[in-house]
């Protein structure tokens, strides 16, 4: 089964398009985990990140189709953080969640192949060492930097999400530039659609997905039409201000074809007043679950 087929099936099975972003930050961890850390020792922080993310996975398994570990927060800890990232991905694999590793990688073709080999594919027999089902990828180096990823996607039933229109305020600096009568993000969308053409599943989706931010609802409508064969990864919901109304256009007629990411608003829900937890924050997982259910409901409504 291809990546797109699997992700759409998981969306329909769970009745959810929520993607839970795993972006751990030491200072925002719930008390019991913060207190388990000795000093600022990186291996101790990494152990807390592993426990935090694995318990989030246990709390949301069955409620959502996928999780998105953000590699940056693990890399920040050095080698111990990378071990933690590997453990978190494996735990999500075992919990039956689709894993989109957020690394925003890319390079010249031959190096891109190494990134693709490293990250893409969770299924035996040709499982990648990181074991993620998909990876976020930058298009900045051009078509021949994306093709190696797509070839590995073909071999390992994996997917990529190409940065098309990002959620950050400064993204337009390059993405909105006009060249030959179209913007850079529109040109990237055309390339994404082209790469999918010979690779469509029965529902018309290919392995090349696209990132389009919830913070640009008009462009989201435009990009849904421009990339009918791409699963959209829509970040920027919640903490960055994106609302359910802003992302409604991302989903197809079946309510699939897109996932909406929220990181801080779900994983640090113990800090939100509406999800009050005990003073010792020992039941922080209840807040994670409640915030996930709330987001699912908002996106259905
Ligand atoms: O590729 C991404 O996931 C991504 C693309 C983008 O345009 N904007 C964006 O915020 N992201 C990521 O999505 C997550 C958003 O986190 P929250 O703002 O806490 O929900 C972070 O891991 C970002 O790196």
């Amino acid at each position: 089964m291809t990546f797109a087929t699997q992700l759409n099936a998981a969306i329909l099975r769970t009745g959810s398009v929520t993607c839970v972003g795993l972006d751990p930050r030491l200072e925002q961890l719930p008390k019991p985990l913060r207190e388990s850390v000795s000093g600022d020792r990186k291996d101790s922080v990494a152990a807390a990140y592993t426990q935090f993310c694995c318990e989030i996975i246990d709390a949301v398994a069955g409620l959502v189709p996928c999780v998105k570990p953000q590699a940056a927060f693990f890399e920040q800890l050095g080698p111990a953080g990378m071990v933690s990232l590997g453990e978190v991905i494996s735990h999500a694999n075992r919990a039956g969640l689709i894993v989109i590793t957020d690394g925003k990688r890319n390079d010249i073709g031959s190096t891109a192949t190494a990134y693709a080999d490293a990250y893409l594919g969770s299924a035996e027999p040709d499982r990648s060492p990181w074991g993620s089902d998909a990876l976020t990828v930058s298009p900045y180096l051009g078509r021949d930097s994306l093709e190696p990823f797509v070839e590995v996607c073909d071999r390992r039933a994996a997917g990529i999400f190409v940065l098309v229109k990002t959620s950050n305020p400064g993204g337009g600096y390059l993405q909105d530039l006009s060249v030959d009568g179209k913007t850079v993000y529109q040109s990237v969308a055309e390339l994404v659609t082209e790469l999918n053409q010979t690779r469509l599943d029965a529902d018309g989706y290919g392995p090349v997905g696209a990132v389009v931010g919830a913070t640009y609802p008009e462009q989201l409508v435009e990009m849904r039409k421009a990339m009918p064969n791409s699963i959209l990864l829509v970040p920027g919901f919640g903490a960055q201000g994106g609302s359910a109304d802003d992302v409604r256009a991302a989903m197809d007629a079946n309510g699939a074809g897109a996932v909406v990411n929220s990181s801080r608003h779900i994983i640090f829900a113990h800090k939100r007043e509406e999800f009050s937890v005990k003073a010792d924050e020992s039941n922080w997982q209840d807040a994670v679950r409640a915030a996930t259910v709330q987001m699912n409901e908002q996106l259905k409504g």
Side-chain angles (χ1 to χ4, degrees), residues 23 68 70 102 104 136 166-167 211 235 240 261-264:
D23 300 36
K68 182 174 73 69
Q70 170 53 266
D102 192 357
K104 300 188 179 62
T136 56
T166 59
S167 68
V211 174
Q240 294 179 47
N261 182 81
S262 178
S263 305
R264 284 167 289 177

Side-chain angles (χ1 to χ4, degrees), residues 2 4 8 199-201 203-207 224 228-231 252 256-257:
T2 68
N8 279 325
R199 304 181 156 87
L200 303 181
D201 70 4
D203 297 319
Y205 286 101
R224 176 67 290 170
N229 311 118
S230 290
I231 298 194
D252 63 20

